[in-house]
Amino acid sequence: MIKLYNTLTRQKEEFKPGEPNKVRMYVCGPTTYNCIHLGNARPLVVFDTVRRYLKYKGYDVLYIQNFTDIDDKIIKRANEENIDARALAEKYISEYFKDADALNVKRADHYPKVSEHIDDIIAAIKKLIDKDYAYVIDGDVYFNVRKYEDYGKLSGRSLDEMKSGARVQIDERKKDPLDFALWKSSKPGEPSWDSPWGKGRPGWHIECSVMSTKYLGETFDIHGGGADLIFPHHENEIAQAEACTDCQFARYWMHNGFITVNKEKMSKSLGNFFLVREILQKFSGDTVRFYLLSTHYRSPLDFDNEKLAMNEKSLQRIKNTFALLEQTLNKKPVAGNGDSGNRILKSVDQLVADFESAMDDDFNTALALAAVFEFCKEMNITINDESFRPDKDTLQALEKARDTLYKLAGGILGIIFKAEDTAASDDLVSELVQILIEVRQNARKNKDWTTADTIRDRLKECGIILEDSPQGTRWKKS
RNA sequence: GGCGACGUAGCCAAGUGGCUAAGGCAGAGGACUGCAAAUCCUUUAUUCGACGGUUCGAAUCCGUCCGUCGCCUCCA
């Protein structure tokens, strides 16, 4: 049973999708006017992991992420660079995929764009006007928050509370200061579309209500995004969608915490942001991903290079064990010496049980990683034991151990394992390294340390690492 | 001003009423090794921001205070 924290109810709830074995989820994607920073990357990785886990648990997951490719910021940026707004948006969509791929984020099932759903949006706005939830002023259309009774239910505040502390600029034309634009009339030279209210473009919030319900149905299961979207973006999405359809919008709302720098929120306005591609120059994609998953998704996560470096080493520990399993599996079975196979199978069962119970509890990736570390330790102890003599059964158990680690840490958490490390996929390299190992063994027998060390050093320069163990010399690619 | 979150070892981080407070990184000592790498063992919080309270029992519940941060405006 999966439990997840629902922002709507402010508590952990058992997850029950509307249709058994099928999950429909929507995650707010970026406004494509520049490259994404680490704060933008967190929801990508978090919800990608949620999706992978749901799939692992047997759900058929339909996963939608939008691109906001029409927006004031895009227009502004395009004017600065003196290029077409659409071209700018397209450029950053392709840049987005480069970063997402580097973080091992799987592709969504659809990436709807605002620019391709103008008709749907206009139809929804019409409907809201007809139902008296919206009104037209001078070519703009506003949503009337007072008409929607439940306004504020997601962010936990009432309209009157918000009014008292309002920092909102009062627009005297609006019926309530918190009324927000569904349609904005365009100024000359701005990208625009024809509508019953004149030339203009959609407001920010309506796109998500329209596109999510178009692809997922009027009621769907999970809606995700960063915690800063709770108000007003998601609050407004709910108001529009439920006013329009008279159905519940999303059942479960999930929000990730912020990335901070020196404990302050990483944001474009503060200027304290680090682009994903900048970080990727120093650290691998799966190190960044591992770091993002080292803390529970709802907690704040502070960024600095030392923390990345720390996580890089932690991750290496898991990869070392995976390599050790691979190296051992490449050996031929020998006469067995007992029940190390059973011990291994027991560890595998323990890993699966602990991993699932951690992830079932609101996707506790930090705890799931602890289970992976304990498993790695068990494998290291077993394989490095002096009396370890893998027989056929033991090798079979080891194969299951490797496959399980690959499936959980790789397939769900997204760690990249080089499955071909020492596998026979490259027979020639394998043979050549084997020859060098034998030559070096002879040198070592003769205490010719210069030759032995030269072989080891030169191979290291080629990306091949030799490790001497009581059971012979192992090798792996670095 | 309104609403909310957080404060666990040198660092990162689980744990939200009950065995000796997970796990990782770093440090110290040891084992293995010709050296190295990897690995293993031991060690590192009598204590969970502070002070009170509830309880047989609290890091975990309640209160007060201190500190940090967030949302209320574009933001993942």
Side-chain angles (χ1 to χ4, degrees), chain A residues 108-136:
Chain A
D109 294 299
H110 298 289
Y111 288 96
K113 299 171 192 167
V114 184
S115 63
E116 293 168 0
H117 293 79
I118 300 292
D119 291 345
D120 299 304
I121 290 170
I122 288 174
I125 296 173
K126 264 189 199 160
K127 197 169 173 187
L128 286 170
I129 294 172
D130 290 345
K131 293 176 88 167
D132 203 28
Y133 281 107
Y135 55 94
V136 185

Side-chain angles (χ1 to χ4, degrees), chain A residues 217-232:
Chain A
E218 291 181 337
T219 299
F220 58 94
D221 300 305
I222 297 174
H223 192 132
D228 47 1
L229 296 182
I230 295 172
F231 190 90

Side-chain angles (χ1 to χ4, degrees), chain A residues 404-463:
Chain A
T404 305
L405 186 60
Y406 190 81
K407 189 160 78 171
L408 301 183
I412 296 170
L413 301 179
I415 294 171
I416 310 278
F417 293 117
K418 290 185 218 144
E420 77 283 9
D421 264 357
T422 58
S425 59
D426 194 340
D427 288 334
L428 183 61
V429 170
S430 194
E431 284 295 315
L432 292 175
V433 172
Q434 211 47 53
I435 291 168
L436 284 166
I437 286 175
E438 280 165 30
V439 171
R440 179 166 168 273
Q441 270 316 106
N442 280 328
R444 291 178 74 205
K445 259 183 209 157
N446 300 326
K447 296 197 191 300
D448 179 1
W449 310 127
T450 314
T451 304
D453 291 350
T454 302
I455 290 172
R456 189 171 63 195
D457 292 345
R458 292 294 302 277
L459 280 175
K460 193 176 178 187
E461 285 166 22
C462 303

Side-chain angles (χ1 to χ4, degrees), chain A residues 156-393:
Chain A
R157 43 190 122 198
S158 71
L159 276 168
D160 297 315
E161 271 171 12
M162 286 187 271
K163 210 170 181 183
S164 63
R167 294 195 262 157
V168 197
Q169 276 190 346
I170 305 287
D171 180 343
E172 294 299 339
R173 304 175 310 157
K174 293 200 280 188
K175 294 185 180 174
D176 188 285
L178 288 159
D179 289 353
F180 54 91
L182 297 171
W183 187 263
K184 301 161 99 161
S185 58
S186 56
K187 301 186 189 87
E190 288 180 347
S192 66
W193 287 261
D194 287 322
S195 82
W197 319 285
K199 281 187 178 297
R201 61 179 181 275
W204 175 36
H205 315 293
I206 189 69
E207 61 180 78
C208 285
S209 304
V210 169
M211 297 193 292
S212 58
T213 51
K214 171 165 181 170
Y215 290 91
L216 299 173
E218 291 181 337
T219 299
F220 58 94
D221 300 305
I222 297 174
H223 192 132
D228 47 1
L229 296 182
I230 295 172
F231 190 90
H233 185 55
H234 289 163
E235 195 72 73
N236 292 351
E237 276 189 52
I238 294 175
Q240 294 160 338
E242 299 193 349
C244 209
T245 66
D246 296 310
C247 293
Q248 181 177 18
F249 184 45
R251 287 194 187 80
Y252 301 91
W253 287 86
M254 294 179 67
H255 293 97
N256 61 274
F258 300 126
I259 302 288
T260 60
V261 179
N262 296 321
K263 306 292 180 188
E264 280 189 321
K265 181 185 172 186
M266 182 184 289
S267 73
K268 285 167 188 163
S269 47
L270 283 172
N272 60 347
F273 60 87
F274 292 81
L275 296 180
V276 168
R277 56 193 52 194
E278 289 171 352
I279 297 167
L280 288 174
Q281 286 177 353
K282 287 183 179 166
F283 298 97
S284 70
D286 66 343
T287 294
V288 177
R289 185 173 172 116
F290 182 91
Y291 154 78
L292 291 172
L293 296 176
S294 67
T295 299
H296 186 88
Y297 75 89
R298 282 189 281 116
S299 302
L301 176 55
D302 202 58
F303 168 81
D304 64 53
N305 281 318
E306 286 70 36
K307 293 187 178 92
L308 260 304
M310 214 164 82
N311 279 284
E312 186 173 47
K313 293 201 168 179
S314 298
L315 174 59
Q316 193 57 49
R317 185 175 167 80
I318 297 172
K319 291 190 174 191
N320 283 342
T321 296
F322 187 81
L324 179 64
L325 288 167
E326 289 272 83
Q327 291 160 350
T328 311
L329 282 166
N330 285 338
K331 291 183 179 165
K332 299 207 162 47
V334 297
N337 68 331
D339 57 2
S340 48
N342 285 333
R343 180 175 174 173
I344 291 162
L345 290 177
K346 214 176 143 193
S347 299
V348 172
D349 290 344
Q350 190 69 48
L351 169 64
V352 172
D354 290 347
F355 188 95
E356 290 190 11
S357 99
M359 291 297 282
D360 281 348
D361 186 9
D362 197 24
F363 308 98
N364 193 334
T365 50
L367 197 54
L369 279 170
V372 172
F373 280 115
E374 299 208 56
F375 173 76
C376 287
K377 183 167 216 163
E378 281 296 314
M379 291 304 106
N380 291 336
I381 291 172
T382 306
I383 295 173
N384 285 320
D385 191 279
E386 279 181 30
S387 66
F388 182 68
R389 300 282 183 278
D391 56 20
K392 216 177 159 208
D393 289 347

Side-chain angles (χ1 to χ4, degrees), chain A residues 51 63-67 96-97 100 105-113 116-117 215:
Chain A
R51 174 205 196 177
Y63 186 88
I64 310 291
Q65 188 203 81
N66 70 303
F67 284 118
Y96 165 89
F97 281 121
V105 171
K106 290 202 170 178
R107 296 293 170 109
D109 294 299
H110 298 289
Y111 288 96
K113 299 171 192 167
E116 293 168 0
H117 293 79
Y215 290 91

